[in-house]
Amino acid sequence: MGSIPSIFGVLAYLAIAPKMTQADLARSVLVRPQSIAPLLDGLEERGLIRRMGDRARGRRNPVQITDSGRGALTTVWDIALTTNDLSDAGLTGMKARNSIGFS
C-alpha cells in the first residue's frame, strides 16, 4: 500500500464507520486536519476511498471506503496484526492487548 499508519488507520476506521468526515478521520488517526486532505486525495486517486457530495470549504463531506479499499485493507490486516504481536517479548493474550492499549 505504500503504507503509513495513517493510511491503514483511515481505511480501518472507514471499514467500521461507513461515512466519516475529514475532521472525524483526522481526529481518529491523530493527524492535523490540514494533513488529512492530501492523504485523502492520494487515497481517492488510488480508488481506495470516495468522497460524497460537493467539496466546499466548511461543508460536511463524508468519506467512504471503496471495494478496492476494503481489498487493500484485507491484504495488510494480517501484517498489522503481526506487527502488534508481542508474544516474542513474552507477552501473550490479555497482557499483550493491555500493553498496546486494548482491554
Side-chain angles (χ1 to χ4, degrees), residues 25-86:
L25 286 166
R27 280 189 294 275
S28 297
V29 299
L30 305 175
V31 299
R32 295 178 331 172
Q34 299 86 343
S35 301
I36 198 79
L39 178 72
L40 295 179
D41 289 342
L43 292 175
E44 189 171 32
E45 287 172 13
R46 293 167 60 185
L48 301 176
I49 64 160
R50 78 175 138 260
R51 291 180 172 118
M52 310 301 292
D54 296 328
R55 291 181 68 189
R57 188 173 180 90
R59 295 187 66 183
R60 292 180 61 82
N61 190 241
V63 180
Q64 286 185 314
I65 191 169
T66 63
D67 289 339
S68 295
R70 287 185 193 283
L73 182 60
T74 299
T75 300
V76 298
W77 192 262
D78 287 337
I79 295 167
L81 290 177
T82 301
T83 301
N84 288 323
D85 179 11
L86 299 176

